[in-house]
Amino acid sequence: MATRILAPPKKVILNNLRLLSRPLNSVPPTFAAAIPGQFAAFEPAPAATTTKPSPLIDLTDPERLFSSVPISKLIRSTANLHAVAMEPVVDLGIRVMQSKLIMDTGLVREAVLGVVRRTFYDHFCGGEDTVEAAATVRQLNEAGLRGMLDYAVEDAEDNSSCDSNLEAFLHTVESARTLPHGYVSFVVVKITAICPIHLLRRVSDLLRWQKRNPSFNLPWNHYSFPILSDLTPLYHTLEEPQPLTAEEEADLFLAHERLRTVGSKCEKYNIPLCIDAEYTAVQPAIDFFTYSAAMEHNRNEPIIYGTLQAYLKDAKERLLLKSEAARKMGILMGVKLVRGAYMASEAKLAHFLGHESPTHNSIQETHDCYNDCASFMLEKVAGRSGAVVFATHNVESGQLVVMKAKDMGISNGNQRLEFAQLYGMADSFSFGLKNEGFQVSKYMPFGPVDQVMPYLLRRAEENRGLLSASTLDRQLMR
């Protein structure tokens, strides 16, 4: 039985949080000798300069940025981005797609899906199946970009749905293998699609209760990195949950086997597997699965990448905890760093339960957290102990990451450093990063229109600010 990794003392965490807060635009640190059992110490970095750095990513030349994009596609993209930037359009789309009166009427439903298919779906999705998705990946590669294949699927309610989703994920891996090496940067999997959602809630409740009461025994939790920190919200679990039943433990084992099956195939073909994050009610269980998979597959190469949401107040502390656990076990840590997509619903739930939101109190705090975590992960890349995907549409963060990577001598073609933006969004930023020589991917959902649209609409509702903030792309495309 593997040993469960314990968290380092709180004093060590606090000291290293201060180290992690070193800004991206500071001079890179030199590594001092690591103290056994503790975080590696760094020599103090010189104070950050107050002079604003000159831009390293050139977004001023639209002809160069979009030289690989046909005029017809630019026109369609401009029209679509203008449409989704208007909140009434997003509201109307959500109401139509959620209307049973409309969507349960055969001819009307087909007409609506037909319009959606030729407009927003084509703009934000890679196709209806792996054949169309592969064709889209080839087009991306012609423009110098890579594809993150995301089979967009809803939460699974039972084992039958999970098994069906597993087959789809495996088919996605096989499709990625048929493409030339490097065309697909990642295959994306959602734990909510291969483990019944009610079981993820149960496991998360039990993990939170164990955080409250360390003596609380979870016989199935034999090994993992530390999942929760002292800053992680526990208000979702108001009373001691019942242990998993024998049937639930069996279902948990089946879910682990599904992830192991996908992870083993990705490791065999050397295709990294990125596990998406979700809302805090189920995120502890998702991290439990992610860390278990990383411990199995990340011994030699970073195959499994977890997702860290920088808009959460506990993000930096959890990053340090799992980083130290990975170091002790000789595991390479793969991280996709995002800001987060559930701000409204997280705040609403926390307020309903009488607590502060788990997300930062201001957008600037989120930016600072993202940049601090980015700086920390760049040091891991430089030290060859980690790999990172900077999933961001924020140009300032991108500029800072590029500047620090260059200062640290991280080569542009380093396979453990990737940028990513959503397919159909922030294209000027993607091309700007590509022109600087960095690896850039587009996160590309695909699947049947009727299956993918509810998935996209939920994200449209949560990401209204992101959709309306496409001003730069719209200007440059025009």
Side-chain angles (χ1 to χ4, degrees):
M1 182 180 296
T3 303
R4 187 163 169 245
I5 300 298
L6 298 177
K10 187 172 182 180
K11 182 179 179 181
V12 176
I13 292 293
L14 292 175
N15 287 338
N16 282 277
L17 278 173
R18 286 192 286 271
L19 289 170
L20 189 148
S21 297
R22 180 173 48 251
L24 266 174
N25 59 352
S26 68
V27 175
T30 54
F31 290 88
I35 303 172
Q38 297 189 12
F39 289 98
F42 300 109
E43 294 178 6
T49 177
T50 56
T51 305
K52 191 171 182 178
S54 58
L56 295 175
I57 308 169
D58 184 9
L59 303 179
T60 62
D61 185 351
E63 274 195 59
R64 182 176 178 226
L65 289 172
F66 295 104
S67 61
S68 60
V69 183
I71 292 295
S72 58
K73 183 174 175 61
L74 278 177
I75 293 171
R76 289 196 305 272
S77 297
T78 304
N80 284 323
L81 288 176
H82 271 84
V84 298
M86 296 184 286
E87 287 207 11
V89 174
V90 177
D91 291 336
L92 177 61
I94 292 172
R95 284 199 298 270
V96 168
M97 294 300 293
Q98 292 178 344
S99 170
K100 289 187 176 182
L101 179 63
I102 294 175
M103 299 310 291
D104 288 350
T105 304
L107 290 176
V108 177
R109 172 188 170 86
E110 290 304 314
V112 169
L113 291 180
V115 171
V116 169
R117 175 73 171 86
R118 291 188 295 273
T119 53
F120 305 126
Y121 178 90
D122 277 349
H123 184 81
F124 294 109
C125 300
E128 295 205 53
D129 53 31
T130 53
V131 175
E132 292 185 3
T136 305
V137 169
R138 289 182 183 276
Q139 291 172 8
L140 284 175
N141 188 261
E142 289 174 2
L145 306 177
R146 312 206 297 168
M148 297 179 72
L149 287 179
D150 170 34
Y151 178 67
V153 64
E154 296 294 284
D155 295 348
E157 300 293 340
D158 52 39
N159 282 320
S160 177
S161 299
C162 291
D163 289 338
S164 176
N165 293 334
L166 171 63
E167 290 304 313
F169 289 130
L170 292 174
H171 190 53
T172 303
V173 177
E174 289 290 347
S175 176
R177 183 175 72 95
T178 64
L179 290 164
H181 180 70
Y183 277 39
V184 173
S185 54
F186 292 85
V187 168
V188 180
V189 70
K190 295 174 178 58
I191 302 300
T192 54
I194 58 174
C195 180
I197 192 68
H198 67 86
L199 182 56
L200 289 175
R201 292 183 181 276
R202 290 273 287 124
V203 169
S204 294
D205 280 337
L206 288 161
L207 290 169
R208 279 188 287 263
W209 197 258
Q210 187 181 60
K211 178 64 178 176
R212 289 181 186 270
N213 304 278
S215 61
F216 187 62
N217 183 39
L218 299 177
W220 42 267
N221 186 16
H222 301 314
Y223 57 94
S224 177
F225 299 164
I227 293 171
L228 308 177
S229 80
D230 290 342
L231 296 177
T232 301
L234 305 176
Y235 53 73
H236 308 78
T237 310
L238 301 177
E239 58 186 19
E240 181 175 334
Q242 291 296 313
L244 294 182
T245 65
E247 182 180 2
E248 286 174 326
E249 284 203 30
D251 287 347
L252 184 62
F253 175 79
L254 287 175
H256 271 294
E257 286 301 304
R258 293 184 191 104
L259 182 57
R260 179 176 290 117
T261 301
V262 181
S264 296
K265 181 157 285 194
C266 284
E267 185 174 11
K268 178 182 177 181
Y269 298 145
N270 195 27
I271 300 172
L273 181 67
C274 183
I275 298 176
D276 271 350
E278 299 290 344
Y279 41 94
T280 55
V282 298
Q283 190 58 42
I286 291 170
D287 286 340
F288 172 66
F289 277 94
T290 303
Y291 300 160
S292 297
M295 290 167 67
E296 181 173 354
H297 300 293
N298 284 20
R299 296 284 178 179
N300 301 310
E301 291 293 333
I303 296 296
I304 306 296
Y305 284 64
T307 300
L308 184 72
Q309 298 163 300
Y311 74 163
L312 295 174
K313 293 173 181 174
D314 68 346
K316 286 199 290 189
E317 192 173 49
R318 286 193 295 115
L319 177 60
L320 285 165
L321 286 169
K322 71 177 180 180
S323 172
E324 171 63 1
R327 183 191 67 80
K328 285 183 177 180
M329 299 182 68
I331 304 296
L332 292 166
M333 186 172 64
V335 173
K336 182 182 74 170
L337 184 61
V338 304
R339 278 172 167 76
Y342 296 97
M343 185 176 294
S345 56
E346 293 287 8
K348 184 177 180 180
L349 176 61
H351 180 74
F352 176 77
L353 295 174
H355 291 268
E356 283 189 5
S357 172
T359 64
H360 289 296
N361 297 327
S362 70
I363 187 63
Q364 188 57 50
E365 288 180 5
T366 295
H367 292 333
D368 292 343
C369 181
Y370 188 97
N371 292 341
D372 288 345
C373 292
S375 179
F376 182 81
M377 286 308 303
L378 282 173
E379 289 161 7
K380 292 294 180 186
V381 172
R384 299 188 58 77
S385 61
V388 62
V389 180
F390 295 114
T392 181
H393 292 192
N394 186 283
V395 175
E396 183 178 354
S397 288
Q399 296 277 19
L400 290 171
V401 167
V402 167
M403 180 177 68
K404 179 151 188 169
K406 288 180 180 292
D407 287 346
M408 296 181 74
I410 300 174
S411 63
N412 295 4
N414 191 307
Q415 296 298 306
R416 295 184 179 179
L417 192 161
E418 185 100 15
F419 287 91
Q421 290 79 42
L422 295 172
Y423 181 73
M425 297 195 69
D427 286 350
S428 57
F429 189 30
S430 299
F431 289 129
L433 288 163
K434 183 264 295 185
N435 290 341
E436 284 300 315
F438 288 93
Q439 294 185 131
V440 185
S441 289
K442 301 301 278 190
Y443 183 97
M444 192 178 76
F446 73 95
V449 180
D450 56 346
Q451 174 182 298
V452 174
M453 285 315 298
Y455 165 85
L456 289 178
L457 286 170
R458 281 202 314 277
R459 278 142 190 80
E461 195 163 18
E462 287 283 354
N463 288 280
R464 289 173 185 271
L466 188 62
L467 292 170
S468 63
S470 57
T471 307
L472 178 62
D473 261 11
R474 286 180 276 135
Q475 288 177 344
L476 291 172
M477 284 179 178
R478 283 200 305 272

